[in-house]
Amino acid sequence: MTGPGPAAHNRTSAPQFRNPWRTRITGPGSGRNHRKNHPPLCIENGVLRMKASDLFIKALESEGVEFVFGIPGEENLDLLESLRTSSIKLILTRHEQAAGFMAATYGRLTGKAGVCLATLGPGATNFVTSAAYAQLGGMPMFMITGQKPVKASKQGHFQIVDVVDMMKPLTKYTRQLVSADNIPARVRESFRRAEEERPGATHLELPEDIAKDETDAIVLHASFHRRPIADEKAILRAVEAIRESQRPILMVGAGANRKTSSKMLRQFVEKFGIPFFTTQMGKGVLDETHPLWLGNAALSDGDFVHRAIEHADCIINVGHDVIEKPPFFMRRGKRTVIHVNYLSAEVDTVYFPQIEVVGDIANTIWRFNEMLEKQAHWDFSYDDNVREHLNRHLAKGTDDARFPIYPVRMVADVRKAMPDDGILCLDNGMYKLWFARYYRCTQPNTILLDNALATMGAGLPSAIAAKIVHPGRKVVAVVGDGGFMMNSQEIETAVRLGLDLVILLLQDDAYGMIKWKQANMNFQNFGMDMGNPDFVKYAESYGAHGHRPASAAEFGPLLAKCLETPGV
């Protein structure tokens, strides 16, 4: 039996639009490789040859690449010229780190590797944080960096760092191209590695002399493949454990955020009535307004959802790995934990499952649906009680009038203003916990937060990428003043691209989460406070609109107005 299998790109919310920037050259001798002064194709001894940089771009087109995010340098000029008349749109950013965040978010939303470009040295080193962001967050991303000539250098070691060595611990695959003939295989392998489970970052370094070379190599196209399915005995063992349990509970992590997996999980919940909760990066895989939702594992042991977890005797753990902050603390002998994922569990002091079902997640859940029956002895009365208390708690403070605005009121007003398919892109700060806990998602990939690397500075670039992928949907970047100022210059990128985007900036003039922890651990207030510009004027200086609500009552209507106003 195979059941529902993975599509080539089985990631929820694949883009449904035509590239608004795509242009085509028509007329005699046009085509994608037409150049006015440098015809890229030549015939030598009856063999068709082309410039390596042209072949590289053709390989990207073969992979379905729509956008390249980044900042080119002089070592990328041949590649840039090849890109110029291709079908691919260059999204010029103001910082390489932001370009990497955009590429990773593109990959997160589509399942196809997002592509970013930088030069050698400082351009390449600026990719380090975004490489880690994609790698830890399971987002498919492909980085291209330039390099000085490798066959003959006239500048010694100026700007030279070993980028391939630097990228090894941060990527699934990294290589320097030392021959134009190797381009098709290296590009194909980079995309294959980036997109296969578990997704992550890959990297190729293209030296400028290799980019100029000519080659008769041809593009390699993607092969047909399907993910392996789980072993039959493992599935039977898991089904038996669920059937015999008294108080099973379902946990949904980021790895379950695939279109067919989400569909199978919905059927599982509806058929068996088993309560569920999510990790922070699993939000939206299942509708959080569903009556069986028990909350999000955003806070520590002892929260409402953790009471339900403690009471359960079987946890069906779908799509989680230890890179994300632990959603619960395992204690020996108290319960059975079933690990359902594409890869086997990485055993940790807080995670050591008793049963592992390793293979395509959607297929595994489909098999559960086929083989399992609803059991009369299952008892969810405790979960019902937890849910009742949770719902009462989450409703408190939603109309609180104090100002500066109470966090629960702020999240509630954002939820009212956002359509169900609207996308929130969160930077990192205390507010990430508020949104994870209080903001109920009804659709996958409608709240993008990072609970893996948990880096600051990603919120605005992520929102820009989300708007590019989904131009017809409302997108809001939720940022603190600390994280925002790390990549705030990308406002210019959003304005230049003509995006309709809202930035919700929460200002406390400090690195607030660390300041809160500092106080909570009885340390003196030290080293966390800072100054800020006038953010309204700052926005206006880029050609964006700036607003500052003066009361809690003003915030909701102002946000709704901003969502309907063109521009940033």
Side-chain angles (χ1 to χ4, degrees):
M1 289 177 137
T2 55
H9 301 297
N10 184 19
R11 188 65 68 99
T12 306
S13 301
Q16 305 290 323
F17 76 111
R18 289 182 61 82
N19 179 355
W21 293 287
R22 180 170 293 170
T23 58
R24 297 200 181 276
I25 300 172
T26 57
S30 57
R32 288 177 177 174
N33 289 297
H34 176 66
R35 304 287 186 273
K36 288 182 179 178
N37 302 315
H38 178 71
L41 303 179
C42 63
I43 296 177
E44 186 176 301
N45 297 324
V47 178
L48 190 68
R49 299 177 66 84
M50 72 172 71
K51 196 167 74 166
S53 60
D54 288 320
L55 178 62
F56 197 107
I57 295 301
K58 278 186 168 293
L60 295 187
E61 289 179 324
S62 174
E63 298 292 343
V65 173
E66 299 175 287
F67 308 102
V68 171
F69 304 90
I71 305 176
E74 63 178 288
E75 291 74 25
N76 309 119
L77 288 179
D78 282 283
L79 191 69
L80 193 65
E81 173 62 13
S82 299
L83 183 63
R84 181 174 63 86
T85 56
S86 73
S87 64
I88 301 170
K89 170 68 178 180
L90 173 66
I91 306 292
L92 187 69
T93 64
R94 306 308 298 263
H95 198 287
E96 291 90 353
Q97 185 189 89
F101 290 148
M102 292 177 197
T105 301
Y106 178 94
R108 181 178 188 173
L109 289 170
T110 67
K112 302 188 297 182
V115 181
C116 49
L117 172 69
T119 188
L120 82 173
T125 59
N126 280 342
F127 271 164
V128 165
T129 300
S130 40
Y133 175 76
Q135 184 75 349
L136 269 67
M139 308 174 200
M141 178 177 78
F142 173 45
M143 297 171 284
I144 307 163
T145 59
Q147 189 52 274
K148 295 293 183 187
V150 290
K151 291 186 266 188
S153 176
K154 297 179 181 179
Q155 292 185 303
H157 287 275
F158 174 65
Q159 288 194 311
I160 300 293
V161 293
D162 191 334
V163 177
V164 172
D165 236 24
M166 177 182 77
M167 287 294 184
K168 280 180 180 176
L170 299 172
T171 60
K172 298 176 72 177
Y173 181 79
T174 175
R175 295 288 190 278
Q176 181 188 71
L177 288 163
V178 294
S179 167
D181 295 341
N182 290 339
I183 287 173
R186 293 284 188 246
V187 172
R188 175 80 282 274
E189 182 66 1
S190 295
F191 278 83
R192 187 188 72 81
R193 294 274 191 103
E195 293 171 359
E196 73 175 0
E197 298 293 347
R198 181 179 183 271
T202 59
H203 164 253
L204 288 181
E205 181 178 81
L206 179 61
E208 60 177 316
D209 54 348
I210 302 300
K212 295 177 188 295
D213 279 353
E214 289 190 342
T215 176
D216 59 4
I218 59 173
V219 169
L220 296 179
H221 301 288
S223 57
F224 173 80
H225 75 283
R226 287 171 68 87
R227 286 190 288 267
I229 60 175
D231 177 73
E232 183 79 6
K233 290 182 179 178
I235 293 173
L236 288 170
R237 182 75 176 271
V239 167
E240 182 183 10
I242 299 168
R243 184 185 292 125
E244 293 180 354
S245 66
Q246 301 290 319
R247 302 173 302 278
I249 192 171
L250 172 67
M251 195 216 79
V252 181
N257 193 13
R258 311 290 187 269
K259 195 170 186 178
T260 52
S261 298
S262 180
K263 178 182 177 181
M264 290 298 111
L265 283 167
R266 287 196 300 271
Q267 293 180 10
F268 180 88
V269 168
E270 293 297 335
K271 182 174 181 179
F272 303 116
I274 295 176
F276 68 92
F277 70 100
T278 70
T279 68
Q280 291 183 40
M281 293 180 73
K283 283 182 69 66
V285 175
L286 292 172
D287 183 354
E288 294 176 350
T289 64
H290 195 284
L292 292 175
W293 182 67
L294 285 172
N296 179 267
L299 300 183
S300 303
D301 214 16
D303 188 24
F304 292 102
V305 68
H306 292 100
R307 300 293 179 88
I309 295 167
E310 283 294 312
H311 189 71
D313 64 350
C314 179
I315 301 175
I316 309 155
N317 193 346
V318 181
H320 172 68
D321 62 45
V322 296
I323 287 176
E324 189 173 3
K325 203 170 184 179
F328 60 89
F329 301 107
M330 289 188 66
R331 294 177 175 85
R332 297 185 186 277
K334 290 197 67 175
R335 65 178 79 89
T336 299
V337 174
I338 302 171
H339 173 88
V340 179
N341 213 328
Y342 302 101
L343 303 174
S344 58
E346 182 180 338
V347 174
D348 191 84
T349 53
V350 297
Y351 190 57
F352 38 91
Q354 287 77 35
I355 300 172
E356 296 189 42
V357 187
V358 180
D360 181 70
I361 289 177
N363 182 269
T364 296
I365 303 302
W366 175 73
R367 296 300 310 280
F368 286 179
N369 291 342
E370 292 290 307
M371 300 171 67
L372 191 62
E373 311 84 30
K374 193 171 186 177
Q375 301 297 304
H377 63 264
W378 287 341
D379 181 8
F380 302 123
S381 56
Y382 187 86
D383 301 307
D384 295 339
N385 190 38
V386 167
R387 190 181 303 105
E388 183 181 339
H389 282 81
L390 173 68
N391 288 335
R392 282 207 301 265
H393 177 80
L394 295 183
K396 291 178 181 177
T398 57
D399 57 355
D400 193 298
R402 79 184 85 171
F403 195 79
I405 196 165
Y406 186 54
V408 178
R409 167 74 180 266
M410 185 269 293
V411 175
D413 284 353
V414 173
R415 178 64 280 186
K416 288 176 188 174
M418 288 291 282
D420 284 347
D421 69 346
I423 301 172
L424 288 186
C425 299
L426 271 61
D427 210 283
N428 270 276
M430 280 296 292
Y431 49 88
K432 185 175 78 172
L433 301 182
W434 307 338
F435 277 93
R437 182 175 171 80
Y438 290 98
Y439 190 91
R440 297 198 186 194
C441 299
T442 62
Q443 297 182 22
N445 284 329
T446 51
I447 186 165
L448 305 184
L449 57 79
D450 168 24
N451 198 35
L453 183 66
T455 180
M456 298 169 73
L460 176 56
S462 179
I464 291 172
K467 190 64 181 182
I468 288 171
V469 171
H470 294 296
R473 292 163 67 173
K474 304 295 185 186
V475 176
V476 175
V478 183
V479 299
D481 46 356
F484 173 67
M485 290 303 287
M486 293 182 179
N487 274 309
S488 64
Q489 70 281 351
E490 300 305 331
I491 292 179
E492 189 279 327
T493 305
V495 170
R496 173 168 28 95
L497 294 175
L499 302 182
D500 299 331
L501 183 71
V502 175
I503 303 166
L504 171 57
L505 191 150
L506 308 174
Q507 180 177 349
D508 61 1
D509 299 313
Y511 292 111
M513 176 176 274
I514 309 306
K515 185 175 181 178
W516 173 78
K517 290 192 174 184
Q518 193 176 52
N520 211 37
M521 297 171 69
N522 297 315
F523 289 106
Q524 291 292 314
N525 177 28
F526 175 74
M528 293 296 136
D529 296 309
M530 60 194 179
N532 274 309
D534 181 324
F535 284 116
V536 171
K537 292 179 180 177
Y538 188 73
E540 291 170 350
S541 72
Y542 284 107
H545 308 283
H547 304 276
R548 184 182 292 109
S551 68
E554 186 182 341
F555 170 68
L558 180 56
L559 176 60
K561 177 185 175 182
C562 288
L563 282 166
E564 297 304 322
T565 303
V568 180

